[in-house]
Amino acid sequence: DAGVTQSPTHLIKTRGQQVTLRCSPISGHKSVSWYQQVLGQGPQFIFQYYEKEERGRGNFPDRFSARQFPNYSSELNVNALLLGDSALYLCASSLRLTTYEQYFGPGTRLTVT
Amino acid sequence: ILNVEQSPQSLHVQEGDSTNFTCSFPSSNFYALHWYRWETAKSPEALFVMTLNGDEKKKGRISATLNTKEGYSYLYIKGSQPEDSATYLCAFAATGANNLFFGTGTRLTVIP
């Protein structure tokens, strides 16, 4: 079974641009969560989607948005990029709306210049 | 924002040494405590999910204990090997919350 996959692996963008990151959950998993890890810190929660509905949102500005598709894959969009958005963005999937088991992808490294 | 702390921040040990790290978390609204092992450029790998006070879990040379009343968990590695080199993350799950609160991790380097 394939694990959680994310694309792209790396991305370089300029301040003010927009970016879309993609995540495919483990087959059969209906929940996808997004986390941001800035260098030197632990991952911080951005969004959770379950059955295509937003079920949780962390303390991030409205420039961050996400959606989940009928096949349960998900996209994270960040508008008007700032230098501080440079980070590793992790996607996690779980079978249910629960924190008991979350499986992570390898992340997308975003660099904003 | 819940405070989850891990210590030490980094650790260098010789091959064959045993070592342990600490994760501190809030003692209220506890649901679960997760340990992940994270190698550079790979996905964080789930090691343990612990839910009950006094829980002890073991996976090969790695084990973990949980004290929910005082809000801490220990991760032990017996006879460290170079392949154990990684960042070990703990994450706290609160009741009613759908997300994990992570510590900053302990970076372990095992010297051959």
Side-chain angles (χ1 to χ4, degrees), chain A residues 4 33 35 37 40-45 48 55-57 59 88 90 97-107, chain B residues 1 9 31-32 34 36 38 41-44 46 49-51 57 89 93-94 97-105:
Chain A
V4 178
S33 298
Y35 290 81
Q37 194 205 21
Q41 297 182 19
Q44 292 215 337
F45 173 69
Q48 184 191 38
R55 301 301 294 264
R57 182 181 184 121
N59 189 25
L88 182 71
L90 291 166
L97 185 65
T98 175
T99 52
Y100 187 75
E101 284 183 326
Q102 290 204 355
Y103 298 88
F104 283 84
Chain B
I1 296 178
Q9 198 169 13
Y31 176 66
H34 297 243
Y36 288 89
W38 196 5
K42 294 187 178 179
S43 304
V49 181
M50 308 174 79
T51 57
K57 295 215 171 180
L89 281 173
N98 293 336
N99 59 284
L100 297 176
F101 298 89
F102 282 88
T104 54

Side-chain angles (χ1 to χ4, degrees), chain A residues 30 32 49-53 67-70 72-74:
Chain A
K30 298 181 178 181
V32 169
Y49 276 78
Y50 177 72
E51 288 279 19
K52 293 158 283 183
E53 289 188 8
R67 55 180 175 167
Q68 188 177 32
F69 298 98
Y72 302 110
S73 67
S74 176

Side-chain angles (χ1 to χ4, degrees), chain B residues 5-18:
Chain B
E5 295 184 353
Q6 291 188 247
S7 63
Q9 198 169 13
S10 66
L11 195 54
H12 288 72
V13 301
Q14 292 291 136
E15 183 176 352
D17 286 352
S18 295

Side-chain angles (χ1 to χ4, degrees), chain A residues 1-6 22-34 49 68-75 91-95 103-105:
Chain A
D1 258 351
V4 178
T5 59
Q6 293 186 242
R22 294 176 178 82
C23 171
S24 292
I26 292 171
S27 178
H29 284 197
K30 298 181 178 181
S31 175
V32 169
S33 298
W34 288 94
Y49 276 78
Q68 188 177 32
F69 298 98
N71 66 354
Y72 302 110
S73 67
S74 176
E75 285 182 352
C91 171
S93 79
S94 57
L95 194 57
Y103 298 88
F104 283 84

Side-chain angles (χ1 to χ4, degrees), chain B residues 12-83:
Chain B
H12 288 72
V13 301
Q14 292 291 136
E15 183 176 352
D17 286 352
S18 295
T19 187
N20 64 85
F21 331 129
T22 304
C23 173
S24 301
F25 52 86
S27 55
S28 58
N29 298 317
F30 177 86
Y31 176 66
L33 194 282
H34 297 243
W35 281 100
Y36 288 89
R37 179 176 177 277
W38 196 5
E39 290 183 71
T40 305
K42 294 187 178 179
S43 304
E45 172 198 354
L47 288 174
F48 305 113
V49 181
M50 308 174 79
T51 57
L52 297 175
N53 184 44
D55 242 358
E56 290 189 27
K57 295 215 171 180
K58 189 174 180 181
K59 187 177 183 178
R61 295 179 291 99
I62 305 177
S63 60
T65 60
L66 179 68
N67 184 323
T68 61
K69 294 188 187 308
E70 295 182 41
Y72 65 84
S73 175
Y74 293 136
L75 188 79
Y76 300 91
I77 302 179
K78 185 177 177 182
S80 302
Q81 299 297 309
E83 57 266 30

